[in-house]
Amino acid sequence: MAYQKDDVPVMQKWLDNPYLLVFLGITIPTVIYIVWGVMEIANIPIAH
Amino acid sequence: METTYRICPRSGLQFEDQAEKLMRFHAVCGVLSLLVGGIMALGVILTRWPAVHLLPADIFYLVLTAHGVDMLIFWIIFFEMAVLIFASSTLLRCRIATPKIAWFSSWLMVVGAIMTNIAIFQGESSVMFTSYVPMQAKWHFYLGLILFAVGALLICFVFLGTLVVAKAENTYEGSIPLVTFGALTACIIAIFTIAGGAIILVPTFFWSIGYIREIDTLMYRVIWWSLGHSSQQINVSAHVAIWYAIAAIVFGAKPMSEKVSRTAYFLYILFLQLASAHHILSDPGMSSEWKIVNTSYFMYFAVFASMIHGMTVPGAIEQAQRLKGYNKGLFEWLRKAPWGNPAFSAMFLSLVGFGFLGGITGVMMGAEQLNMLIHNTIYVPGHFHATVVVGTTLAFMGLTYFLVPALFKREVMFPGFAKIQPYLYGLAMYIVSLVMMGAGTLGVSRRHWDMAFAGAPMAYEWPGAAYLMMGLTGIFGVVAIVGGAGWILQIVLSIFFGKKLEGGEQRSIPQVLTLPPPTPGGAAHPPATPGTLVLALVFLTAFILYYFVNWKYLSSLWGLS
């Protein structure tokens, strides 16, 4: 059966887009884990 | 671009010339790393076994460093690069993108791996896998890791480039196959992992040569774990892809639902890396919000995804078996499975062990309060030997029994040993993981060379059960090493001396991957999978019981009432 591009559901179009997946897979953990974590460490007061 | 494609007469797979050579190269480099790491494992296990206590402290920490780095980084990532090339070029039936860059990157990885090993074996870089600052290794320890990571990162881009080549040259129709999608997930997590590693290892390298005065210890730990733990999440994505691949190879099984399986992988892409935070759960300085959002709320999406894969892979096998007529009762499909086929037995042991031993304990450890029960105890290596050794290594071993004839064109030697090898290695590692976790629950430390703390001013008297479990760790660790060494010997001998098999037809133009025609009846009304449902309910019961037992244990430790 021929593959019809117009029949493809939206979610499948997202999952077929490796660039979008790469973007999400790097951005989300970078923001939630690394950036948020580094901001917390940077805000720890320095002992005197 | 001029190249040739070989059609394997046994599997029907199409291997492009450069991709095939690269896969062999990475598989061999992976096995060599496993060999070094395995020899080091013997030193570790014979020292942590209290009755033997083989090595002096300085050699023990050297050996532990080599074991950790060679197993958790080099063996796994070399093999995963082979999986990425297989899942792109071979499964999509296209040429590999930029083969020269792929070869350059592969050699960069080899140079990096050798450099780091030299630094370790010179004896002044016994900083263990985690290499926490302010412990300082020699400069080439860090530089080797950086070169290895850069090489792996470039191969991830070669993988993505190969997807583009396949799309541009129309070598497949529709979506990429599920196994390739799993490899894409592994690739994305690898890019995040390597970028995280670079952020912290590059300044640490400059610190080791004196250009930077100090590295903040908490900053190091937080960012380093985006490398240290996420690198193990590459494994999870890769070995789940291998579960699907082996189910398809051995049974002709099709995924129960492509939508569900792909959505589960999508959850991995979004959330799996966040589990890194569970290493920081006992660190002061980080807020509970950061800890709980990372390890609980969001990580549970990834746990949910693993449970989906853990159900859909056996479900797909059950459907395939029932279509073949194994319909009696709940479990005829499972009883009549080819338990003597090492590809299947390794995969199934990997799946069950990863879920029951690695998965459940990982969720328990990810809860901030429960983490305090076992933080920095030998429970942690118990957990990750269940995920990385039982889950990943065993799945990789299972795939190799298929790859030796398909990729290396050799017959696997010693088929009798091959039948028992996954049980010998896998079940021994089940026990090792369990007794390590048992000893950890009693408080035995994660890394300390001498659990008895002999000569320490404040001695601690362990219960006898702690010594018993560490003794069992030693005994079954040795059994597992025998199973692993046997596998290495078998695979190496098969590659060099196994009976040569026919290579198959050579083509200059790739054969396009076409979608199979819809199966009348079978696909529209696939058989129900009651056996898998029962297995899933058993798993959930074990999950709930174990989770609440630990809460009960926590409350009894503190005497809150």
Side-chain angles (χ1 to χ4, degrees):
Chain A
M1 194 164 66
Y3 175 72
Q4 300 293 327
K5 210 170 180 181
D6 295 341
D7 299 339
V8 180
V10 175
M11 185 68 183
Q12 190 177 336
K13 281 184 184 168
W14 290 358
L15 297 185
D16 283 346
N17 184 343
Y19 305 110
L20 176 68
L21 298 178
V22 170
F23 173 77
L24 292 174
I26 292 170
T27 307
I28 290 177
T30 301
V31 171
I32 297 174
Y33 179 84
I34 295 182
V35 174
W36 183 4
V38 168
M39 281 168 60
E40 291 215 340
I41 297 167
N43 280 309
I44 297 173
I46 295 170
H48 295 288
Chain B
M1 187 175 284
E2 287 292 311
T3 188
T4 55
Y5 299 85
R6 177 177 72 83
I7 313 283
C8 171
R10 289 162 294 282
S11 62
L13 291 169
Q14 180 174 271
F15 293 100
E16 192 255 352
D17 182 50
Q18 288 300 312
E20 185 173 20
K21 287 174 181 156
L22 278 159
M23 277 185 265
R24 285 189 208 150
F25 181 85
H26 281 273
V28 169
C29 291
V31 172
L32 287 175
S33 306
L34 185 71
L35 176 65
V36 178
I39 294 168
M40 297 301 108
L42 197 59
V44 173
I45 212 84
L46 290 179
T47 307
R48 295 297 312 252
W49 184 350
V52 180
H53 204 48
L54 179 70
L55 299 172
D58 54 342
I59 303 292
F60 170 74
Y61 290 113
L62 182 154
V63 161
L64 184 58
T65 306
H67 173 64
V69 173
D70 279 299
M71 293 301 212
L72 290 169
I73 298 279
F74 300 145
W75 144 243
I76 293 290
I77 294 185
F78 270 127
F79 202 91
E80 275 157 1
M81 295 300 115
V83 171
L84 289 191
I85 297 164
F86 174 80
S88 55
S89 171
T90 306
L91 293 186
L92 296 179
R93 296 177 168 250
C94 68
R95 65 184 169 83
I96 190 166
T98 61
K100 283 181 183 164
I101 293 178
W103 277 112
F104 170 74
S105 317
S106 304
W107 280 106
L108 204 58
M109 290 173 72
V110 170
V111 170
I114 292 172
M115 190 181 281
T116 298
N117 268 296
I118 288 173
I120 294 169
F121 287 107
Q122 281 175 333
E124 290 181 78
S125 300
S126 300
V127 291
M128 291 168 281
F129 169 62
T130 42
S131 56
Y132 289 146
V133 300
M135 283 193 296
Q136 193 177 67
K138 299 303 271 186
W139 61 272
H140 44 309
F141 174 88
Y142 304 109
L143 185 61
L145 288 175
I146 292 166
L147 293 179
F148 183 85
V150 170
L153 184 63
L154 288 172
I155 293 194
C156 288
F157 291 129
V158 170
F159 169 82
L160 292 172
T162 307
L163 296 190
V164 173
V165 167
K167 187 87 179 165
E169 297 181 0
N170 294 316
T171 62
Y172 69 97
E173 290 179 329
S175 304
I176 54 176
L178 184 63
V179 174
T180 309
F181 194 76
L184 173 62
T185 305
C187 169
I188 292 168
I189 296 175
I191 293 171
F192 169 78
T193 300
I194 294 164
I199 291 171
I200 200 63
L201 285 177
V202 170
T204 309
F205 164 68
F206 285 114
W207 170 67
S208 73
I209 55 175
Y211 282 101
I212 290 179
R213 202 176 50 178
E214 63 177 315
I215 303 279
D216 181 86
T217 52
L218 183 57
M219 191 75 85
Y220 181 91
R221 280 169 60 80
V222 168
I223 302 179
W224 188 88
W225 276 113
S226 71
L227 160 79
H229 198 89
S230 298
S231 56
Q232 310 317 308
Q233 314 294 27
I234 312 171
N235 305 343
V236 175
S237 309
H239 77 227
V240 169
I242 288 171
W243 293 348
Y244 282 111
I246 290 178
I249 291 163
V250 176
F251 297 95
K254 292 173 184 164
M256 293 177 83
S257 163
E258 288 265 351
K259 284 179 199 166
V260 170
S261 295
R262 281 170 201 261
T263 305
Y265 272 126
F266 186 51
L267 291 175
Y268 275 178
I269 290 171
L270 300 182
F271 301 116
L272 193 54
Q273 301 94 311
L274 306 178
S276 306
H278 82 233
H279 294 273
I280 316 292
L281 284 176
S282 289
D283 279 44
M286 306 305 293
S287 69
S288 284
E289 290 85 350
W290 180 84
K291 291 174 181 174
I292 291 172
V293 164
N294 275 279
T295 61
S296 294
Y297 296 140
F298 284 164
M299 195 190 81
Y300 291 155
F301 287 116
V303 172
F304 178 56
S306 284
M307 290 199 288
I308 289 173
H309 292 306
M311 189 170 164
T312 54
V313 173
I317 293 172
E318 181 175 358
Q319 281 187 338
Q321 288 283 78
R322 285 185 185 276
L323 283 171
K324 287 175 192 162
Y326 298 117
N327 279 310
K328 276 189 202 152
L330 283 173
F331 294 115
E332 193 195 17
W333 64 276
L334 195 56
R335 280 187 281 109
K336 296 283 172 67
W339 293 101
N341 179 341
F344 167 72
S345 57
M347 181 277 271
F348 208 81
L349 287 172
S350 155
L351 188 147
V352 172
F354 178 76
F356 277 86
L357 300 179
I360 293 176
T361 57
V363 174
M364 190 284 276
M365 293 163 73
E368 188 182 8
Q369 300 90 329
L370 296 181
N371 188 274
M372 285 184 280
L373 284 171
I374 49 78
H375 195 87
N376 227 14
T377 69
I378 202 163
Y379 187 102
V380 181
H383 156 75
F384 71 68
H385 279 76
T387 54
V388 180
V389 184
V390 173
T392 306
T393 298
L394 202 52
F396 287 1
M397 285 176 170
L399 184 71
T400 312
Y401 286 109
F402 163 75
L403 288 180
V404 169
L407 188 62
F408 290 91
K409 295 171 271 182
R410 299 279 184 165
E411 204 169 83
V412 173
M413 295 172 79
F414 317 114
F417 176 74
K419 280 184 186 173
I420 61 160
Q421 188 274 333
Y423 300 100
L424 184 66
Y425 183 73
L427 296 178
M429 282 314 303
Y430 272 38
I431 298 172
V432 169
S433 301
L434 277 169
V435 290
M436 272 183 174
M437 289 191 274
T441 307
L442 294 172
V444 175
S445 90
R446 177 174 178 172
R447 299 187 177 99
H448 201 284
W449 161 75
D450 176 21
M451 71 178 275
F453 301 118
M458 288 183 287
Y460 181 80
E461 190 140 341
W462 296 102
Y467 282 103
L468 173 68
M469 282 191 267
M470 290 308 291
L472 290 173
T473 301
I475 293 167
F476 286 97
V478 170
V479 175
I481 288 168
V482 169
W487 177 82
I488 293 175
L489 200 63
Q490 179 184 32
I491 296 303
V492 171
L493 289 177
S494 300
I495 288 170
F496 287 107
F497 305 111
K499 186 182 161 194
K500 280 187 182 170
L501 299 170
E502 192 199 337
E505 180 197 348
Q506 296 277 347
R507 300 167 61 96
S508 57
I509 300 169
Q511 212 171 39
V512 174
L513 179 68
T514 49
L515 293 176
T519 317
H525 301 288
T529 55
T532 302
L533 181 65
V534 170
L535 292 178
L537 291 174
V538 170
F539 174 80
L540 286 174
T541 307
F543 196 150
I544 292 165
L545 284 176
Y546 188 72
Y547 197 66
F548 283 101
V549 160
N550 276 282
W551 279 104
K552 175 79 180 96
Y553 183 38
L554 183 67
S555 69
S556 68
L557 273 186
W558 282 357
L560 294 175
S561 58

